[in-house]
PDB file of all heavy atoms in Angstrom:
ATOM      1  N   SER H 173      22.030  -4.722   0.221  1.00  0.00           N
ATOM      2  CA  SER H 173      22.320  -3.249  -0.117  1.00  0.00           C
ATOM      3  C   SER H 173      23.880  -3.212  -0.391  1.00  0.00           C
ATOM      4  O   SER H 173      24.647  -4.009   0.209  1.00  0.00           O
ATOM      5  CB  SER H 173      22.029  -2.370   1.132  1.00  0.00           C
ATOM      6  OG  SER H 173      20.594  -2.394   1.378  1.00  0.00           O
ATOM      7  N   GLY H 174      24.183  -2.232  -1.139  1.00  0.00           N
ATOM      8  CA  GLY H 174      25.586  -2.024  -1.439  1.00  0.00           C
ATOM      9  C   GLY H 174      26.052  -0.660  -0.948  1.00  0.00           C
ATOM     10  O   GLY H 174      25.394   0.454  -1.323  1.00  0.00           O
ATOM     11  N   ILE H 175      27.061  -0.641  -0.185  1.00  0.00           N
ATOM     12  CA  ILE H 175      27.539   0.677   0.473  1.00  0.00           C
ATOM     13  C   ILE H 175      28.752   1.215  -0.076  1.00  0.00           C
ATOM     14  O   ILE H 175      29.775   0.541  -0.168  1.00  0.00           O
ATOM     15  CB  ILE H 175      27.682   0.462   2.015  1.00  0.00           C
ATOM     16  CG1 ILE H 175      26.417   0.023   2.697  1.00  0.00           C
ATOM     17  CG2 ILE H 175      28.287   1.800   2.650  1.00  0.00           C
ATOM     18  CD1 ILE H 175      26.550  -0.444   4.086  1.00  0.00           C
ATOM     19  N   SER H 176      28.679   2.348  -0.870  1.00  0.00           N
ATOM     20  CA  SER H 176      29.831   2.864  -1.551  1.00  0.00           C
ATOM     21  C   SER H 176      30.428   4.080  -0.946  1.00  0.00           C
ATOM     22  O   SER H 176      31.407   4.656  -1.387  1.00  0.00           O
ATOM     23  CB  SER H 176      29.269   3.284  -2.966  1.00  0.00           C
ATOM     24  OG  SER H 176      28.277   4.291  -2.843  1.00  0.00           O
ATOM     25  N   LYS H 177      29.908   4.498   0.245  1.00  0.00           N
ATOM     26  CA  LYS H 177      30.505   5.686   0.944  1.00  0.00           C
ATOM     27  C   LYS H 177      30.032   5.588   2.406  1.00  0.00           C
ATOM     28  O   LYS H 177      29.192   4.724   2.810  1.00  0.00           O
ATOM     29  CB  LYS H 177      29.931   7.028   0.353  1.00  0.00           C
ATOM     30  CG  LYS H 177      28.476   7.103   0.489  1.00  0.00           C
ATOM     31  CD  LYS H 177      27.935   8.428  -0.169  1.00  0.00           C
ATOM     32  CE  LYS H 177      26.383   8.649  -0.035  1.00  0.00           C
ATOM     33  NZ  LYS H 177      26.025   9.854  -0.597  1.00  0.00           N
ATOM     34  N   SER H 178      30.669   6.400   3.293  1.00  0.00           N
ATOM     35  CA  SER H 178      30.282   6.441   4.748  1.00  0.00           C
ATOM     36  C   SER H 178      28.773   6.761   4.887  1.00  0.00           C
ATOM     37  O   SER H 178      28.275   7.575   4.174  1.00  0.00           O
ATOM     38  CB  SER H 178      31.145   7.333   5.466  1.00  0.00           C
ATOM     39  OG  SER H 178      32.560   6.978   5.435  1.00  0.00           O
ATOM     40  N   LEU H 179      28.259   6.215   6.076  1.00  0.00           N
ATOM     41  CA  LEU H 179      26.774   6.376   6.313  1.00  0.00           C
ATOM     42  C   LEU H 179      26.666   6.894   7.742  1.00  0.00           C
ATOM     43  O   LEU H 179      27.418   6.367   8.605  1.00  0.00           O
ATOM     44  CB  LEU H 179      25.960   5.135   6.066  1.00  0.00           C
ATOM     45  CG  LEU H 179      26.024   4.508   4.711  1.00  0.00           C
ATOM     46  CD1 LEU H 179      25.162   3.140   4.794  1.00  0.00           C
ATOM     47  CD2 LEU H 179      25.349   5.463   3.618  1.00  0.00           C
ATOM     48  N   GLU H 180      25.746   7.829   7.918  1.00  0.00           N
ATOM     49  CA  GLU H 180      25.444   8.351   9.434  1.00  0.00           C
ATOM     50  C   GLU H 180      24.859   7.283  10.171  1.00  0.00           C
ATOM     51  O   GLU H 180      24.193   6.367   9.714  1.00  0.00           O
ATOM     52  CB  GLU H 180      24.575   9.567   9.279  1.00  0.00           C
ATOM     53  CG  GLU H 180      25.200  10.726   8.627  1.00  0.00           C
ATOM     54  CD  GLU H 180      24.124  11.943   8.615  1.00  0.00           C
ATOM     55  OE1 GLU H 180      23.228  11.832   9.297  1.00  0.00           O
ATOM     56  OE2 GLU H 180      24.492  12.862   7.908  1.00  0.00           O
ATOM     57  N   GLY H 181      25.020   7.374  11.463  1.00  0.00           N
ATOM     58  CA  GLY H 181      24.422   6.477  12.336  1.00  0.00           C
ATOM     59  C   GLY H 181      23.053   6.748  12.653  1.00  0.00           C
ATOM     60  O   GLY H 181      22.474   7.772  12.175  1.00  0.00           O
ATOM     61  N   GLY H 182      22.325   5.746  13.194  1.00  0.00           N
ATOM     62  CA  GLY H 182      20.905   5.979  13.752  1.00  0.00           C
ATOM     63  C   GLY H 182      19.870   6.016  12.639  1.00  0.00           C
ATOM     64  O   GLY H 182      18.720   6.446  12.906  1.00  0.00           O
ATOM     65  N   LYS H 183      20.213   5.593  11.560  1.00  0.00           N
ATOM     66  CA  LYS H 183      19.316   5.491  10.328  1.00  0.00           C
ATOM     67  C   LYS H 183      19.270   4.130   9.738  1.00  0.00           C
ATOM     68  O   LYS H 183      20.146   3.304   9.934  1.00  0.00           O
ATOM     69  CB  LYS H 183      19.647   6.490   9.277  1.00  0.00           C
ATOM     70  CG  LYS H 183      19.703   7.971   9.739  1.00  0.00           C
ATOM     71  CD  LYS H 183      20.077   8.963   8.707  1.00  0.00           C
ATOM     72  CE  LYS H 183      20.066  10.287   9.182  1.00  0.00           C
ATOM     73  NZ  LYS H 183      20.530  11.302   8.107  1.00  0.00           N
ATOM     74  N   THR H 184      18.172   3.814   8.910  1.00  0.00           N
ATOM     75  CA  THR H 184      18.040   2.558   8.209  1.00  0.00           C
ATOM     76  C   THR H 184      18.285   2.808   6.740  1.00  0.00           C
ATOM     77  O   THR H 184      17.755   3.735   6.176  1.00  0.00           O
ATOM     78  CB  THR H 184      16.677   2.017   8.532  1.00  0.00           C
ATOM     79  OG1 THR H 184      16.466   1.795   9.849  1.00  0.00           O
ATOM     80  CG2 THR H 184      16.458   0.675   7.759  1.00  0.00           C
ATOM     81  N   TYR H 185      19.030   1.973   6.106  1.00  0.00           N
ATOM     82  CA  TYR H 185      19.422   2.216   4.801  1.00  0.00           C
ATOM     83  C   TYR H 185      19.063   0.837   3.867  1.00  0.00           C
ATOM     84  O   TYR H 185      19.113  -0.207   4.346  1.00  0.00           O
ATOM     85  CB  TYR H 185      21.007   2.367   4.689  1.00  0.00           C
ATOM     86  CG  TYR H 185      21.383   3.645   5.352  1.00  0.00           C
ATOM     87  CD1 TYR H 185      21.858   3.574   6.711  1.00  0.00           C
ATOM     88  CD2 TYR H 185      21.476   4.890   4.850  1.00  0.00           C
ATOM     89  CE1 TYR H 185      22.314   4.716   7.340  1.00  0.00           C
ATOM     90  CE2 TYR H 185      21.973   5.968   5.425  1.00  0.00           C
ATOM     91  CZ  TYR H 185      22.337   5.944   6.689  1.00  0.00           C
ATOM     92  OH  TYR H 185      22.749   7.091   7.382  1.00  0.00           O
ATOM     93  N   PHE H 186      18.878   1.179   2.533  1.00  0.00           N
ATOM     94  CA  PHE H 186      18.555   0.161   1.620  1.00  0.00           C
ATOM     95  C   PHE H 186      19.016   0.553   0.257  1.00  0.00           C
ATOM     96  O   PHE H 186      19.088   1.746  -0.095  1.00  0.00           O
ATOM     97  CB  PHE H 186      17.066  -0.147   1.651  1.00  0.00           C
ATOM     98  CG  PHE H 186      16.597  -1.165   0.609  1.00  0.00           C
ATOM     99  CD1 PHE H 186      17.035  -2.465   0.750  1.00  0.00           C
ATOM    100  CD2 PHE H 186      15.813  -0.790  -0.468  1.00  0.00           C
ATOM    101  CE1 PHE H 186      16.643  -3.290  -0.227  1.00  0.00           C
ATOM    102  CE2 PHE H 186      15.354  -1.687  -1.352  1.00  0.00           C
ATOM    103  CZ  PHE H 186      15.854  -2.923  -1.306  1.00  0.00           C
ATOM    104  N   GLY H 187      19.368  -0.462  -0.601  1.00  0.00           N
ATOM    105  CA  GLY H 187      19.637  -0.265  -1.954  1.00  0.00           C
ATOM    106  C   GLY H 187      21.089  -0.265  -2.307  1.00  0.00           C
ATOM    107  O   GLY H 187      21.945  -0.363  -1.446  1.00  0.00           O
ATOM    108  N   SER H 188      21.380  -0.029  -3.627  1.00  0.00           N
ATOM    109  CA  SER H 188      22.714  -0.032  -4.089  1.00  0.00           C
ATOM    110  C   SER H 188      22.793   1.042  -5.174  1.00  0.00           C
ATOM    111  O   SER H 188      22.283   0.906  -6.262  1.00  0.00           O
ATOM    112  CB  SER H 188      23.172  -1.374  -4.664  1.00  0.00           C
ATOM    113  OG  SER H 188      24.598  -1.375  -4.961  1.00  0.00           O
ATOM    114  N   PRO H 189      23.417   2.163  -4.909  1.00  0.00           N
ATOM    115  CA  PRO H 189      24.084   2.499  -3.661  1.00  0.00           C
ATOM    116  C   PRO H 189      23.005   2.770  -2.592  1.00  0.00           C
ATOM    117  O   PRO H 189      21.939   3.275  -2.743  1.00  0.00           O
ATOM    118  CB  PRO H 189      24.839   3.764  -3.968  1.00  0.00           C
ATOM    119  CG  PRO H 189      24.197   4.387  -5.107  1.00  0.00           C
ATOM    120  CD  PRO H 189      23.618   3.259  -5.910  1.00  0.00           C
ATOM    121  N   ALA H 190      23.486   2.433  -1.328  1.00  0.00           N
ATOM    122  CA  ALA H 190      22.495   2.454  -0.134  1.00  0.00           C
ATOM    123  C   ALA H 190      22.080   3.912   0.102  1.00  0.00           C
ATOM    124  O   ALA H 190      22.984   4.899   0.094  1.00  0.00           O
ATOM    125  CB  ALA H 190      23.173   1.916   0.961  1.00  0.00           C
ATOM    126  N   GLU H 191      20.783   4.084   0.339  1.00  0.00           N
ATOM    127  CA  GLU H 191      20.317   5.392   0.808  1.00  0.00           C
ATOM    128  C   GLU H 191      19.321   5.098   1.913  1.00  0.00           C
ATOM    129  O   GLU H 191      18.987   4.018   2.195  1.00  0.00           O
ATOM    130  CB  GLU H 191      19.475   6.139  -0.292  1.00  0.00           C
ATOM    131  CG  GLU H 191      20.373   6.388  -1.629  1.00  0.00           C
ATOM    132  CD  GLU H 191      19.590   7.004  -2.664  1.00  0.00           C
ATOM    133  OE1 GLU H 191      18.684   7.814  -2.449  1.00  0.00           O
ATOM    134  OE2 GLU H 191      19.855   6.739  -3.902  1.00  0.00           O
ATOM    135  N   GLU H 192      18.767   6.133   2.567  1.00  0.00           N
ATOM    136  CA  GLU H 192      17.784   6.025   3.575  1.00  0.00           C
ATOM    137  C   GLU H 192      16.643   5.137   3.074  1.00  0.00           C
ATOM    138  O   GLU H 192      16.246   5.384   1.905  1.00  0.00           O
ATOM    139  CB  GLU H 192      17.358   7.349   4.144  1.00  0.00           C
ATOM    140  CG  GLU H 192      18.310   7.901   5.061  1.00  0.00           C
ATOM    141  CD  GLU H 192      17.725   9.185   5.732  1.00  0.00           C
ATOM    142  OE1 GLU H 192      16.792   8.892   6.551  1.00  0.00           O
ATOM    143  OE2 GLU H 192      18.126  10.249   5.590  1.00  0.00           O
ATOM    144  N   ALA H 193      16.198   4.141   3.828  1.00  0.00           N
ATOM    145  CA  ALA H 193      15.347   3.202   3.274  1.00  0.00           C
ATOM    146  C   ALA H 193      14.018   3.701   2.815  1.00  0.00           C
ATOM    147  O   ALA H 193      13.497   3.391   1.712  1.00  0.00           O
ATOM    148  CB  ALA H 193      15.059   2.148   4.340  1.00  0.00           C
ATOM    149  N   ARG H 194      13.454   4.668   3.539  1.00  0.00           N
ATOM    150  CA  ARG H 194      12.062   5.246   3.192  1.00  0.00           C
ATOM    151  C   ARG H 194      12.267   5.963   1.841  1.00  0.00           C
ATOM    152  O   ARG H 194      11.396   5.853   0.942  1.00  0.00           O
ATOM    153  CB  ARG H 194      11.622   6.171   4.193  1.00  0.00           C
ATOM    154  CG  ARG H 194      11.117   5.604   5.548  1.00  0.00           C
ATOM    155  CD  ARG H 194      10.557   6.544   6.460  1.00  0.00           C
ATOM    156  NE  ARG H 194      10.066   5.914   7.715  1.00  0.00           N
ATOM    157  CZ  ARG H 194       9.474   6.643   8.671  1.00  0.00           C
ATOM    158  NH1 ARG H 194       9.280   7.962   8.559  1.00  0.00           N
ATOM    159  NH2 ARG H 194       9.073   6.020   9.818  1.00  0.00           N
ATOM    160  N   GLU H 195      13.265   6.720   1.700  1.00  0.00           N
ATOM    161  CA  GLU H 195      13.554   7.401   0.468  1.00  0.00           C
ATOM    162  C   GLU H 195      13.681   6.424  -0.770  1.00  0.00           C
ATOM    163  O   GLU H 195      13.142   6.621  -1.895  1.00  0.00           O
ATOM    164  CB  GLU H 195      14.688   8.383   0.536  1.00  0.00           C
ATOM    165  CG  GLU H 195      14.947   9.210  -0.730  1.00  0.00           C
ATOM    166  CD  GLU H 195      13.831  10.159  -1.201  1.00  0.00           C
ATOM    167  OE1 GLU H 195      13.042  10.565  -0.372  1.00  0.00           O
ATOM    168  OE2 GLU H 195      13.672  10.272  -2.366  1.00  0.00           O
ATOM    169  N   LYS H 196      14.537   5.444  -0.474  1.00  0.00           N
ATOM    170  CA  LYS H 196      14.840   4.430  -1.555  1.00  0.00           C
ATOM    171  C   LYS H 196      13.535   3.747  -1.974  1.00  0.00           C
ATOM    172  O   LYS H 196      13.304   3.504  -3.122  1.00  0.00           O
ATOM    173  CB  LYS H 196      15.838   3.435  -1.111  1.00  0.00           C
ATOM    174  CG  LYS H 196      16.450   2.709  -2.260  1.00  0.00           C
ATOM    175  CD  LYS H 196      17.314   3.609  -3.047  1.00  0.00           C
ATOM    176  CE  LYS H 196      18.139   2.718  -3.999  1.00  0.00           C
ATOM    177  NZ  LYS H 196      19.093   3.500  -4.795  1.00  0.00           N
ATOM    178  N   LEU H 197      12.752   3.363  -0.984  1.00  0.00           N
ATOM    179  CA  LEU H 197      11.537   2.630  -1.263  1.00  0.00           C
ATOM    180  C   LEU H 197      10.450   3.519  -2.043  1.00  0.00           C
ATOM    181  O   LEU H 197       9.742   3.006  -2.900  1.00  0.00           O
ATOM    182  CB  LEU H 197      10.872   2.037   0.001  1.00  0.00           C
ATOM    183  CG  LEU H 197      11.628   0.955   0.686  1.00  0.00           C
ATOM    184  CD1 LEU H 197      11.121   0.612   2.047  1.00  0.00           C
ATOM    185  CD2 LEU H 197      11.644  -0.344  -0.196  1.00  0.00           C
ATOM    186  N   LYS H 198      10.554   4.775  -1.815  1.00  0.00           N
ATOM    187  CA  LYS H 198       9.616   5.701  -2.452  1.00  0.00           C
ATOM    188  C   LYS H 198      10.144   5.842  -4.056  1.00  0.00           C
ATOM    189  O   LYS H 198       9.261   5.806  -4.938  1.00  0.00           O
ATOM    190  CB  LYS H 198       9.691   7.122  -1.940  1.00  0.00           C
ATOM    191  CG  LYS H 198       8.989   7.295  -0.630  1.00  0.00           C
ATOM    192  CD  LYS H 198       9.095   8.688  -0.044  1.00  0.00           C
ATOM    193  CE  LYS H 198       8.466   8.875   1.302  1.00  0.00           C
ATOM    194  NZ  LYS H 198       8.685  10.313   1.741  1.00  0.00           N
ATOM    195  N   GLN H 199      11.497   5.772  -4.169  1.00  0.00           N
ATOM    196  CA  GLN H 199      11.981   5.848  -5.535  1.00  0.00           C
ATOM    197  C   GLN H 199      11.541   4.499  -6.304  1.00  0.00           C
ATOM    198  O   GLN H 199      11.204   4.622  -7.468  1.00  0.00           O
ATOM    199  CB  GLN H 199      13.445   5.935  -5.496  1.00  0.00           C
ATOM    200  CG  GLN H 199      13.992   7.166  -4.979  1.00  0.00           C
ATOM    201  CD  GLN H 199      15.466   7.226  -4.770  1.00  0.00           C
ATOM    202  OE1 GLN H 199      16.194   6.316  -5.256  1.00  0.00           O
ATOM    203  NE2 GLN H 199      16.074   8.258  -4.054  1.00  0.00           N
ATOM    204  N   ILE H 200      11.681   3.381  -5.640  1.00  0.00           N
ATOM    205  CA  ILE H 200      11.220   2.108  -6.203  1.00  0.00           C
ATOM    206  C   ILE H 200       9.727   2.167  -6.675  1.00  0.00           C
ATOM    207  O   ILE H 200       9.354   1.714  -7.713  1.00  0.00           O
ATOM    208  CB  ILE H 200      11.543   0.902  -5.375  1.00  0.00           C
ATOM    209  CG1 ILE H 200      13.082   0.793  -5.214  1.00  0.00           C
ATOM    210  CG2 ILE H 200      10.921  -0.361  -5.897  1.00  0.00           C
ATOM    211  CD1 ILE H 200      13.494  -0.208  -4.196  1.00  0.00           C
ATOM    212  N   ALA H 201       9.001   2.709  -5.705  1.00  0.00           N
ATOM    213  CA  ALA H 201       7.519   2.792  -5.995  1.00  0.00           C
ATOM    214  C   ALA H 201       7.296   3.672  -7.166  1.00  0.00           C
ATOM    215  O   ALA H 201       6.367   3.492  -8.018  1.00  0.00           O
ATOM    216  CB  ALA H 201       6.753   3.279  -4.766  1.00  0.00           C
ATOM    217  N   SER H 202       8.028   4.755  -7.258  1.00  0.00           N
ATOM    218  CA  SER H 202       7.882   5.709  -8.367  1.00  0.00           C
ATOM    219  C   SER H 202       8.279   5.063  -9.618  1.00  0.00           C
ATOM    220  O   SER H 202       7.581   5.326 -10.745  1.00  0.00           O
ATOM    221  CB  SER H 202       8.712   6.980  -8.134  1.00  0.00           C
ATOM    222  OG  SER H 202       8.228   7.679  -6.990  1.00  0.00           O
ATOM    223  N   VAL H 203       9.391   4.351  -9.691  1.00  0.00           N
ATOM    224  CA  VAL H 203       9.748   3.638 -10.857  1.00  0.00           C
ATOM    225  C   VAL H 203       8.573   2.712 -11.411  1.00  0.00           C
ATOM    226  O   VAL H 203       8.410   2.550 -12.634  1.00  0.00           O
ATOM    227  CB  VAL H 203      11.151   2.946 -10.618  1.00  0.00           C
ATOM    228  CG1 VAL H 203      11.402   1.948 -11.842  1.00  0.00           C
ATOM    229  CG2 VAL H 203      12.134   3.883 -10.478  1.00  0.00           C
ATOM    230  N   LYS H 204       7.896   2.059 -10.561  1.00  0.00           N
ATOM    231  CA  LYS H 204       6.866   1.102 -10.983  1.00  0.00           C
ATOM    232  C   LYS H 204       5.759   1.801 -11.594  1.00  0.00           C
ATOM    233  O   LYS H 204       4.935   1.227 -12.460  1.00  0.00           O
ATOM    234  CB  LYS H 204       6.333   0.332  -9.725  1.00  0.00           C
ATOM    235  CG  LYS H 204       7.332  -0.637  -9.194  1.00  0.00           C
ATOM    236  CD  LYS H 204       6.819  -1.517  -8.043  1.00  0.00           C
ATOM    237  CE  LYS H 204       7.727  -2.545  -7.604  1.00  0.00           C
ATOM    238  NZ  LYS H 204       7.177  -3.326  -6.373  1.00  0.00           N
ATOM    239  N   GLU H 205       5.568   3.134 -11.421  1.00  0.00           N
ATOM    240  CA  GLU H 205       4.461   3.837 -11.967  1.00  0.00           C
ATOM    241  C   GLU H 205       4.826   4.317 -13.428  1.00  0.00           C
ATOM    242  O   GLU H 205       3.960   4.799 -14.113  1.00  0.00           O
ATOM    243  CB  GLU H 205       4.122   5.050 -11.123  1.00  0.00           C
ATOM    244  CG  GLU H 205       3.704   4.693  -9.751  1.00  0.00           C
ATOM    245  CD  GLU H 205       3.336   5.996  -8.856  1.00  0.00           C
ATOM    246  OE1 GLU H 205       3.566   7.035  -9.416  1.00  0.00           O
ATOM    247  OE2 GLU H 205       3.050   5.763  -7.737  1.00  0.00           O
ATOM    248  N   ILE H 206       6.063   4.240 -13.799  1.00  0.00           N
ATOM    249  CA  ILE H 206       6.515   4.845 -15.152  1.00  0.00           C
ATOM    250  C   ILE H 206       5.718   4.141 -16.195  1.00  0.00           C
ATOM    251  O   ILE H 206       5.237   4.832 -17.231  1.00  0.00           O
ATOM    252  CB  ILE H 206       8.085   4.711 -15.306  1.00  0.00           C
ATOM    253  CG1 ILE H 206       8.655   5.645 -14.326  1.00  0.00           C
ATOM    254  CG2 ILE H 206       8.435   4.944 -16.763  1.00  0.00           C
ATOM    255  CD1 ILE H 206      10.293   5.500 -14.357  1.00  0.00           C
ATOM    256  N   PRO H 207       5.614   2.806 -16.329  1.00  0.00           N
ATOM    257  CA  PRO H 207       4.807   2.202 -17.497  1.00  0.00           C
ATOM    258  C   PRO H 207       3.393   2.784 -17.557  1.00  0.00           C
ATOM    259  O   PRO H 207       2.961   3.101 -18.734  1.00  0.00           O
ATOM    260  CB  PRO H 207       4.804   0.741 -17.140  1.00  0.00           C
ATOM    261  CG  PRO H 207       5.999   0.518 -16.307  1.00  0.00           C
ATOM    262  CD  PRO H 207       6.160   1.783 -15.444  1.00  0.00           C
ATOM    263  N   GLY H 208       2.697   2.996 -16.405  1.00  0.00           N
ATOM    264  CA  GLY H 208       1.417   3.525 -16.458  1.00  0.00           C
ATOM    265  C   GLY H 208       1.547   5.042 -17.049  1.00  0.00           C
ATOM    266  O   GLY H 208       0.524   5.442 -17.774  1.00  0.00           O
ATOM    267  N   ILE H 209       2.370   5.716 -16.606  1.00  0.00           N
ATOM    268  CA  ILE H 209       2.418   7.122 -17.049  1.00  0.00           C
ATOM    269  C   ILE H 209       2.792   7.236 -18.529  1.00  0.00           C
ATOM    270  O   ILE H 209       2.152   8.025 -19.348  1.00  0.00           O
ATOM    271  CB  ILE H 209       3.682   7.835 -16.287  1.00  0.00           C
ATOM    272  CG1 ILE H 209       3.255   8.023 -14.816  1.00  0.00           C
ATOM    273  CG2 ILE H 209       3.913   9.206 -16.958  1.00  0.00           C
ATOM    274  CD1 ILE H 209       4.386   8.442 -13.921  1.00  0.00           C
ATOM    275  N   LEU H 210       3.592   6.325 -19.020  1.00  0.00           N
ATOM    276  CA  LEU H 210       3.936   6.255 -20.404  1.00  0.00           C
ATOM    277  C   LEU H 210       2.700   5.887 -21.370  1.00  0.00           C
ATOM    278  O   LEU H 210       2.430   6.439 -22.373  1.00  0.00           O
ATOM    279  CB  LEU H 210       5.041   5.304 -20.760  1.00  0.00           C
ATOM    280  CG  LEU H 210       6.474   5.630 -20.239  1.00  0.00           C
ATOM    281  CD1 LEU H 210       7.390   4.446 -20.429  1.00  0.00           C
ATOM    282  CD2 LEU H 210       6.918   6.891 -20.859  1.00  0.00           C
ATOM    283  N   LYS H 211       1.779   5.002 -20.785  1.00  0.00           N
ATOM    284  CA  LYS H 211       0.680   4.616 -21.505  1.00  0.00           C
ATOM    285  C   LYS H 211      -0.289   5.779 -21.620  1.00  0.00           C
ATOM    286  O   LYS H 211      -1.032   6.033 -22.751  1.00  0.00           O
ATOM    287  CB  LYS H 211      -0.074   3.411 -20.801  1.00  0.00           C
ATOM    288  CG  LYS H 211       0.632   2.107 -20.979  1.00  0.00           C
ATOM    289  CD  LYS H 211      -0.135   0.964 -20.289  1.00  0.00           C
ATOM    290  CE  LYS H 211       0.453  -0.356 -20.502  1.00  0.00           C
ATOM    291  NZ  LYS H 211      -0.240  -1.453 -19.727  1.00  0.00           N
ATOM    292  N   LYS H 212      -0.422   6.528 -20.469  1.00  0.00           N
ATOM    293  CA  LYS H 212      -1.369   7.783 -20.555  1.00  0.00           C
ATOM    294  C   LYS H 212      -0.751   8.757 -21.519  1.00  0.00           C
ATOM    295  O   LYS H 212      -1.631   9.445 -22.169  1.00  0.00           O
ATOM    296  CB  LYS H 212      -1.346   8.293 -19.177  1.00  0.00           C
ATOM    297  CG  LYS H 212      -2.144   7.477 -18.155  1.00  0.00           C
ATOM    298  CD  LYS H 212      -2.135   8.187 -16.765  1.00  0.00           C
ATOM    299  CE  LYS H 212      -2.931   7.262 -15.747  1.00  0.00           C
ATOM    300  NZ  LYS H 212      -2.883   7.890 -14.312  1.00  0.00           N
ATOM    301  N   LEU H 213       0.587   8.904 -21.556  1.00  0.00           N
ATOM    302  CA  LEU H 213       1.111   9.949 -22.576  1.00  0.00           C
ATOM    303  C   LEU H 213       0.834   9.545 -24.043  1.00  0.00           C
ATOM    304  O   LEU H 213       0.595  10.349 -24.692  1.00  0.00           O
ATOM    305  CB  LEU H 213       2.567  10.058 -22.286  1.00  0.00           C
ATOM    306  CG  LEU H 213       2.991  10.769 -20.936  1.00  0.00           C
ATOM    307  CD1 LEU H 213       4.491  10.558 -20.699  1.00  0.00           C
ATOM    308  CD2 LEU H 213       2.590  12.186 -20.956  1.00  0.00           C
ATOM    309  N   LYS H 214       0.893   8.197 -24.280  1.00  0.00           N
ATOM    310  CA  LYS H 214       0.576   7.767 -25.515  1.00  0.00           C
ATOM    311  C   LYS H 214      -0.844   8.039 -26.048  1.00  0.00           C
ATOM    312  O   LYS H 214      -1.144   8.285 -27.241  1.00  0.00           O
ATOM    313  CB  LYS H 214       0.923   6.337 -25.773  1.00  0.00           C
ATOM    314  CG  LYS H 214       2.406   6.012 -25.753  1.00  0.00           C
ATOM    315  CD  LYS H 214       2.610   4.379 -25.828  1.00  0.00           C
ATOM    316  CE  LYS H 214       4.014   4.060 -25.855  1.00  0.00           C
ATOM    317  NZ  LYS H 214       4.240   2.679 -26.012  1.00  0.00           N
ATOM    318  N   LYS H 215      -1.743   8.116 -25.165  1.00  0.00           N
ATOM    319  CA  LYS H 215      -3.087   8.262 -25.470  1.00  0.00           C
ATOM    320  C   LYS H 215      -3.492   9.864 -25.613  1.00  0.00           C
ATOM    321  O   LYS H 215      -4.481  10.207 -26.211  1.00  0.00           O
ATOM    322  CB  LYS H 215      -4.045   7.819 -24.273  1.00  0.00           C
ATOM    323  CG  LYS H 215      -4.001   6.394 -24.178  1.00  0.00           C
ATOM    324  CD  LYS H 215      -4.862   5.833 -22.997  1.00  0.00           C
ATOM    325  CE  LYS H 215      -4.907   4.273 -22.821  1.00  0.00           C
ATOM    326  NZ  LYS H 215      -5.673   3.821 -21.749  1.00  0.00           N
ATOM    327  N   ILE H 216      -2.545  10.693 -25.149  1.00  0.00           N
ATOM    328  CA  ILE H 216      -2.746  12.097 -25.266  1.00  0.00           C
ATOM    329  C   ILE H 216      -2.564  12.559 -26.730  1.00  0.00           C
ATOM    330  O   ILE H 216      -1.539  12.207 -27.295  1.00  0.00           O
ATOM    331  CB  ILE H 216      -1.918  12.920 -24.370  1.00  0.00           C
ATOM    332  CG1 ILE H 216      -2.155  12.561 -22.912  1.00  0.00           C
ATOM    333  CG2 ILE H 216      -1.986  14.359 -24.589  1.00  0.00           C
ATOM    334  CD1 ILE H 216      -1.379  13.158 -21.849  1.00  0.00           C
TER     335      ILE H 216
END
């Protein structure tokens, strides 16, 4: 992880720039869905 600003205590962080880990992992999962969404759009 890359930390570019101060972070609150008591939480788990991930990514660059670092964010709360659950939110960051959701974002990564969403990015993986983009190719499938684009394929569906092409068929419309």
Side-chain angles (χ1 to χ4, degrees):
S173 295
I175 298 172
S176 59
K177 61 181 181 180
S178 296
L179 301 176
E180 293 180 11
K183 299 179 180 179
T184 299
Y185 297 91
F186 174 65
S188 186
E191 300 178 36
E192 285 193 62
R194 286 185 181 180
E195 180 60 31
K196 196 71 174 183
L197 292 170
K198 285 179 184 178
Q199 293 174 15
I200 292 170
S202 297
V203 168
K204 289 181 177 180
E205 293 177 4
I206 290 175
I209 293 170
L210 291 175
K211 284 180 181 181
K212 290 179 181 179
L213 289 173
K214 286 180 181 180
K215 291 178 181 179
I216 296 175

